[in-house]
Amino acid sequence: MIALEVVARRHAGVPGPVTTQVREIVFPPKPGPLYGGLALMMVVLTWRQRFIAAGAAIGIDIVFVLGRWAAGTGMDADHLFGNGALWVMLGCGVIAVTRRTGRERMLLLKGVGLGLLLVAGRKTGDTWLAITAKTRPDVLDPYLATADHALGNPSWVAGRLLRATEPIGTHLLDWVYAELAVAAVVVALYQLRKVGTERRFPRHHLVRTFLLIGLLGPAFYMIFPVVGPIFAYGPGTSGTGGVEWAVVNVWPDTLPVIGTPGPVPYDELTPRNCMPSLHTAWAVAIFIHTRTGPRLLRYAGTFWLVATLGATLGFGYHYGVDLIAGVVFALTIEAALRAYDRGWDRSGIQLVAHGTVVFAALLVSYRFLPVEMADHPWLAGPLMLLAMGSVIHAYLRTTRAWQPEAAPVPRPEPQPEPA
């Protein structure tokens, strides 16, 4: 985070994650998972301590809001609450160091670290997005738009379908897309529900995968800067982009013409955050970690994955090839974490190597073979899907073999009939 702070200030001219996080101790916080981080931290507390922590956070927030209201500043509805959650997490860290010892100190510090990592992950991601916009003036969207012909241009199709469902469909998918972190916190709270009684964390849970995806993913944004169909082939959205920056304003009504792709310049505000689709990767991680939960949680995980895929395509945020790369990326990260937990062996190394090779092959083909892929869609499209399917199959086969076999239930011995 310190290195990212230096890079952000030197190369992008924006404050980094350390500065933005420290500011929120006093200044109005950006909308984000502050209370989600507090909820994760509270898994190590007793129920009495949880009520005290939640009450303290709400009370501190009320004091801050009243103070800003009296001063007439910082009353944006999206920036009202969150300081209290951060204060309580920091306070619990102080209590762990000064008032706890041994295992209880370590457990509370792990809880505080977990909550702060979720918040820091959001700050780190925001900083990376600003860096990509400032340091990558050219984008490679024409390459992906050309390669996407091999899949039938799913973003254009989904965009027209979503437009036909307005306003219900757009509102629902927009909510799902925006609240991905909330879904992750809900799943993580289920996985960590026994920490308070068992006084230990499980070996593997969703937060680890979620954070590692967010840590490694932006590196590929710098290698393969892409803004997305609604920006490169449409009017833009969320206050960035514009028709003047578009290659041609055709999304989602008219497919782009297949030609010789090349880099194109774009504005310095729109994040280059398409390759791979991290929203898809996070949704896949949520889906994986709900498979061992109750039926309602499994249904919710499936719904969130399907709705996220629909939103990423339907709103024009991603191309179809982004989603394929995102699925492979998520499964490779999850496989690496599971292999690390159980100790690296041949099956784990092969699984991670398989996902890494497929992910690299996808990126290379998108960059250097997009015209050939568009000219032979009946070959390139199935090959991409088969490559993704091979990673899914290898992941399922390997991780199922890692599961401990249930011990057979002993059958009772037959007893003689009473005389």
Side-chain angles (χ1 to χ4, degrees), residues 38-59:
L38 178 63
L40 287 179
M41 186 212 72
M42 291 195 297
V43 298
V44 304
L45 305 179
T46 64
W47 278 107
R48 178 176 176 275
Q49 292 168 339
R50 291 170 186 171
F51 285 119
I52 293 174
I58 295 171

Side-chain angles (χ1 to χ4, degrees), residues 59-100:
I60 293 171
D61 265 331
I62 291 174
V63 171
F64 271 101
V65 170
L66 292 176
R68 291 172 190 141
W69 174 76
T73 59
M75 293 305 293
D76 188 345
D78 291 334
H79 296 68
L80 285 180
F81 298 100
N83 300 99
L86 183 58
W87 274 77
V88 170
M89 283 189 281
L90 295 175
C92 286
V94 173
I95 291 173
V97 173
T98 60
R99 304 289 298 275
R100 298 286 189 271

Side-chain angles (χ1 to χ4, degrees), residues 91-273:
C92 286
V94 173
I95 291 173
V97 173
T98 60
R99 304 289 298 275
R100 298 286 189 271
T101 59
R103 292 183 60 189
E104 287 300 312
R105 171 187 286 178
M106 292 306 300
L107 186 67
L108 184 53
L109 284 176
K110 285 182 179 180
V112 173
L114 187 66
L116 290 177
L117 272 175
L118 184 67
V119 179
R122 173 64 178 271
K123 302 302 178 187
T124 302
D126 291 344
T127 303
W128 265 120
L129 296 184
I131 291 174
T132 62
K134 296 290 185 180
T135 62
R136 291 294 181 266
D138 294 336
V139 298
L140 304 181
D141 283 76
Y143 293 90
L144 295 192
T146 302
D148 220 35
H149 279 76
L151 297 175
N153 302 97
S155 181
W156 270 255
V157 176
R160 292 194 294 269
L161 290 174
L162 186 59
R163 181 183 294 175
T165 66
E166 290 181 339
I168 297 175
T170 53
H171 286 314
L172 176 63
L173 293 190
D174 183 60
W175 176 77
V176 169
Y177 191 85
E179 301 301 334
L180 184 69
V182 175
V185 169
V186 171
V187 176
L189 289 176
Y190 173 79
Q191 292 181 321
L192 303 175
R193 67 193 185 280
K194 296 181 180 179
V195 172
T197 55
E198 296 180 353
R199 313 309 293 166
R200 64 179 181 84
F201 278 88
R203 174 173 291 185
H204 183 52
H205 51 83
L206 174 62
V207 180
R208 303 172 74 215
T209 309
F210 219 75
L211 291 174
L212 196 56
I213 288 173
L215 177 67
L216 299 179
F220 299 99
Y221 293 167
M222 303 293 289
I223 298 171
F224 213 122
V226 181
V227 290
I230 196 171
F231 296 101
Y233 293 94
T237 185
S238 302
T240 59
V243 177
E244 67 274 15
W245 292 103
V247 177
V248 58
N249 186 18
V250 295
W251 186 88
D253 300 307
T254 305
L255 296 179
V257 178
I258 299 177
T260 303
V264 294
Y266 211 78
D267 67 17
E268 295 185 358
L269 296 176
T270 306
R272 281 64 165 153
N273 61 340

